């Protein structure tokens, strides 16, 4: 019996050590490698990761890439390609990190209200922190998001349209009953979504489990209709290439634009390419067309 207990203890110990090595491997392989920057927002410690290319010309555009739920400290999808983009385009890239604060069920705050602006305040402070150390072209600040970070994109559209020139969202949506969305000016938005997404459904609305302040989330056709109606978009162009539908809404208020890529066979995972072009490149080509007045 004693020998058996010694064997069990040794086995459990080896499994624990093995688990630690696995965690270390995943963090090494997929963990965030960009330099970390710490800051205090209000009384709350926050941080982000920042990439500044050596060939930077002043003033430089700034791109913020927002991770999905539970994705803090991990590399953003296509991050290596984004890093190359930063070098070739002279682009500063920041990777904000979420922090779960009340009343969040997830790591990014949704359905922002006057007394729930913790992430809006954080992102504003982040932009100012970067601009205090580097020459940022404030007319060319952009955001992209994945999953929960893609839902945050619509919080930025509603509450920070005076700070962002254009936004891009993959596999996100927004609350059906947004508490407020009073924009300073219309902001161009690109939405990309897989029709086989089982997490953020394309064709059906869905409810958060216990996040009552957020409530029902929109299906993607309803999401697009919300923004095209808000911007009074008058022209539409639809292109179908294989399994990809590309819908472009033009003649919107303020020379804005709403575009949608719907991917027939794509799930929730970030697609490497769309119509043989890298997803990150499609997003940047859209974003870089716009700047604030």
């Amino acid at each position: 019996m004693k020998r058996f207990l010694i064997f069990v203890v040794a086995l459990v110990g080896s499994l624990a050590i093995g688990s630690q090595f696995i965690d270390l491997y995943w963090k090494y392989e997929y963990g965030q490698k960009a330099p970390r920057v710490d800051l205090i927002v209000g009384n709350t410690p926050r941080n982000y990761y920042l990439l500044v290319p050596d060939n930077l010309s002043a003033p430089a555009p700034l791109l913020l890439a927002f991770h999905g739920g539970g994705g803090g400290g991990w590399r953003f999808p296509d991050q290596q390609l984004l890093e190359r983009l930063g070098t070739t385009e002279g682009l500063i890239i920041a990777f904000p990190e979420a922090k779960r604060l009340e009343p969040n069920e997830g790591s990014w705050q949704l359905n922002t209200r006057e007394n729930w602006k913790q992430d809006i305040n954080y992102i504003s402070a982040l932009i100012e922190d970067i601009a205090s150390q580097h020459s940022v072209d404030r007319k060319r600040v952009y955001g992209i998001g994945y999953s929960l970070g893609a839902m945050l994109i619509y919080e930025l559209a509603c509450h920070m349209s005076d700070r962002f020139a254009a936004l891009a969202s993959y596999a996100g949506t927004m609350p059906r009953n947004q508490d407020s969305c009073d924009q300073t000016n219309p902001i161009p938005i690109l939405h990309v979504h897989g029709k086989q997404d089982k997490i953020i459904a394309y064709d059906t609305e869905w409810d958060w489990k216990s996040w009552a302040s957020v409530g029902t989330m929109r299906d993607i056709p309803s999401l697009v209709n919300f923004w095209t109606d808000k911007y009074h978009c008058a022209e539409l162009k639809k292109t179908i290439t294989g399994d990809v539908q590309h819908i472009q809404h033009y003649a919107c208020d303020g020379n804005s634009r709403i575009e949608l890529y719907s991917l027939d066979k794509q799930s929730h995972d970030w697609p490497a390419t769309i119509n043989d072009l890298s997803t990150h490149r499609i997003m940047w080509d859209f974003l870089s067309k716009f700047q604030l007045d």
Side-chain angles (χ1 to χ4, degrees):
M1 183 66 176
K2 184 177 180 181
R3 288 181 179 179
F4 175 73
L5 290 174
I6 292 172
F7 169 75
V8 170
V9 171
L11 178 61
V12 171
S14 65
L15 289 175
I17 293 172
S19 175
Q20 291 175 0
F21 276 116
I22 290 172
D23 289 343
L24 288 172
Y25 168 77
W26 281 96
K27 288 180 180 178
Y28 175 80
E29 187 69 18
Y30 299 106
Q32 186 58 256
K33 299 296 191 299
R36 171 175 165 146
V37 181
D38 295 307
L39 73 163
I40 301 293
V41 183
N43 295 318
T44 304
R46 300 294 297 258
N47 67 274
Y48 63 93
Y49 301 89
L50 185 66
L51 289 171
V52 181
D54 294 332
N55 63 333
L56 198 64
S57 298
L62 170 63
L63 175 65
L64 276 60
F66 298 93
H67 64 74
W74 300 93
R75 273 177 273 181
F76 191 82
D78 278 351
Q79 180 162 328
Q80 291 180 332
L81 295 176
L82 285 173
E83 292 174 4
R84 295 177 199 165
L85 179 72
T87 299
T88 58
E89 300 282 341
L91 174 67
I92 300 172
I93 305 177
F95 302 93
E97 184 163 355
K99 188 180 185 75
R100 189 180 182 279
L101 301 167
E102 294 297 335
N104 298 29
E105 180 180 311
S107 50
W108 292 117
Q109 172 65 42
L110 302 182
N111 208 358
T112 301
R113 304 178 187 186
E114 188 59 37
N115 57 333
W116 295 340
K117 287 190 172 182
Q118 53 264 45
D119 282 328
I120 298 300
N121 293 336
Y122 159 63
I123 294 161
S124 179
L126 182 155
I127 293 172
E128 292 305 315
D129 193 52
I130 296 171
S132 70
Q133 303 172 59
H134 306 280
S135 180
V136 172
D137 186 344
R138 292 179 179 270
K139 294 182 178 180
R140 294 186 294 162
V141 178
Y142 308 99
I144 62 174
Y146 171 53
S147 192
L148 184 57
M151 298 182 205
L152 181 69
I153 287 294
Y154 293 104
E155 302 299 312
L156 306 183
C158 285
H159 300 281
M160 298 189 74
S161 63
D162 60 332
R163 307 297 295 274
F164 287 89
L167 298 165
S169 167
Y170 177 73
T173 184
M174 65 182 289
R176 182 177 66 188
N177 298 312
Q178 190 80 9
D179 190 71
S180 64
C181 191
D182 298 325
Q183 297 180 302
T184 303
N185 49 265
I187 184 168
I189 298 172
L190 168 65
H191 189 96
V192 186
H193 214 107
K195 287 191 171 183
Q196 304 304 313
D197 193 331
K198 304 301 183 185
I199 298 176
I200 312 297
Y202 184 91
D203 285 317
T204 57
E205 294 182 340
W206 54 280
D207 295 322
W208 283 95
K209 297 184 293 297
S210 59
W211 204 353
S213 62
V214 173
T216 301
M217 304 298 285
R218 291 180 178 273
D219 60 82
I220 304 313
S222 168
L223 170 78
V224 173
N225 288 340
F226 171 85
W227 290 103
T228 56
D229 290 346
K230 187 176 180 66
Y231 291 174
H232 306 101
C233 299
E235 298 181 17
L236 181 147
K237 179 181 178 181
K238 184 174 182 179
T239 305
I240 300 177
T241 307
D243 301 320
V244 177
Q245 292 84 45
H246 182 200
I247 301 174
Q248 303 171 74
H249 295 269
Y250 294 98
C252 309
D253 291 348
N255 294 318
S256 188
R257 186 184 303 180
I258 303 295
E259 293 193 18
L260 169 68
Y261 280 94
S262 57
L263 316 177
D264 287 348
K265 296 183 178 181
Q266 185 65 32
S267 65
H268 189 70
D269 294 339
W270 181 280
T273 60
I274 300 172
N275 288 339
D276 298 326
L277 291 175
S278 174
T279 300
H280 88 289
R281 187 77 240 185
I282 286 178
M283 288 187 167
W284 176 244
D285 286 347
F286 173 85
L287 296 172
S288 59
K289 290 183 175 75
F290 305 98
Q291 65 178 26
L292 288 172
D293 292 336

